[in-house]
Amino acid sequence: MKRKLDFMSVLGLVLGVGLMFIGIVLTKDLETQAYIITVVNLLSFYDPTSIAIVLGGTLACLMIMFPASQFRKIPAHLKIIFLPNRYDPKRYIDRLVECAKKARVSGLLALEEDANQMENAFMKSSIMMVVDSVDPEKVKSQMESWLDNLDERHAQERVFYDKGASLGPAFGMIGTLIGLINMLKSLQDVESVGPNMAVALVTTFYGSLLANMIFAPISNKLRVRHEEEYLCMRIICEGVQAIQAGENPKLIEDRLIHILPSYQQKQFGVSAESGEDKGRKAKAPREKKNKGK
């Protein structure tokens, strides 16, 4: 399965960092009312102590909460975000309908050759259970178990980033409190209040940045990727069971199409309206015509 760069993820990251950079360096001259670029403003947002408190504290807590294996998965998760596998429901539906047609003509054993050529491991294993004449209830139970395991495994991996998103602002506040305590100790020096207050607030900035620009987006994008994969796995699950039951390929296709969200059903020429509603609308003109007669 070919991987393609997700331009939306890259564009979102570049746009977020770029606009934040502009917001820091772009200032308004009170005399001329003109905007000027002041690169030196970046120095006001750099504080090694604050970075150590927020980043170090967050990583330390994550190390306590999770095993080392979770940290080793980070590169793989970033690859899923920026270079994801493309799960195309239409591709799976078309393949399952082809298998249904072949099974109806040549029998279920004829699907063994097709199964060996399938790239998707879940689809291959499911078809092979049908070829091996496994009891339909066991096939259903096994596939549903795989789906449950997929859902649970992906949810556990997202917890790592959800915890990071909650820890970042917490350590930002801790850093701010440390800065305020140090500032209050030297409150008699009025000139130092402003700079010390700025340094104290920088830690809150780092915490918010860590949560809302890194951890939360990663968690949400992993959830989106999971939903894309899970939808295709559900289609495979329903399709394989229907093939084993010997259902009509056209009925199988209709059932699988209606699993999709309405905006994806349009790929198959299906509108958001149900067939029942279409039937009512189609009958209405005839009834009106008959009344006119």
Side-chain angles (χ1 to χ4, degrees), residues 81-207:
I81 292 169
F82 294 105
L83 289 169
N85 284 320
R86 296 294 179 180
Y87 290 96
D88 182 9
K90 187 178 187 303
R91 180 168 164 265
Y92 289 104
I93 291 174
D94 291 342
R95 190 67 185 272
L96 287 165
V97 171
E98 288 176 12
C99 289
K101 290 177 181 177
K102 188 172 184 178
R104 223 171 186 215
V105 173
S106 306
L108 293 174
L109 290 175
L111 298 179
E112 184 173 4
E113 184 180 349
D114 291 344
N116 290 327
Q117 297 175 355
M118 292 175 180
E119 296 179 2
N120 186 283
F122 179 71
M123 191 173 187
K124 180 179 180 179
S125 301
S126 301
I127 292 291
M128 285 305 299
M129 284 195 295
V130 172
V131 171
D132 294 338
S133 301
V134 178
D135 183 74
E137 285 299 319
K138 290 184 178 180
V139 172
K140 180 181 178 181
S141 175
Q142 183 67 24
M143 287 192 293
E144 288 179 349
S145 176
W146 285 339
L147 285 177
D148 290 341
N149 289 337
L150 177 76
D151 195 25
E152 185 176 350
R153 186 175 71 254
H154 288 179
Q156 288 176 349
E157 292 180 356
R158 291 197 304 274
V159 168
F160 177 82
Y161 300 100
D162 291 335
K163 289 295 183 183
S166 62
L167 288 169
F171 276 98
M173 184 56 66
I174 289 172
T176 298
L177 292 173
I178 293 172
L180 289 174
I181 291 169
N182 290 332
M183 182 189 72
L184 291 172
K185 283 183 176 179
S186 57
L187 194 60
Q188 65 275 9
D189 185 5
V190 179
E191 292 182 358
S192 67
V193 173
N196 287 334
M197 187 65 183
V199 171
L201 292 176
V202 163
T203 52
T204 301
F205 170 76
Y206 286 149

Side-chain angles (χ1 to χ4, degrees), residues 15-74:
L15 189 63
V17 173
L19 290 176
M20 197 171 303
F21 176 81
I22 292 171
I24 291 173
V25 301
L26 198 64
T27 55
K28 190 174 184 179
D29 191 311
L30 297 178
E31 294 181 2
T32 62
Q33 296 297 309
Y35 286 96
I36 58 174
I37 295 176
T38 311
V39 181
V40 74
N41 285 353
L42 289 171
L43 296 176
S44 301
F45 287 82
Y46 174 71
D47 184 61
T49 305
S50 299
I51 294 173
I53 292 171
V54 176
L55 187 59
T58 301
L59 289 177
C61 280
L62 289 174
M63 290 171 68
I64 296 170
M65 292 178 175
F66 298 94
S69 59
Q70 190 67 45
F71 288 86
R72 289 196 291 268
K73 292 178 184 177
I74 293 175

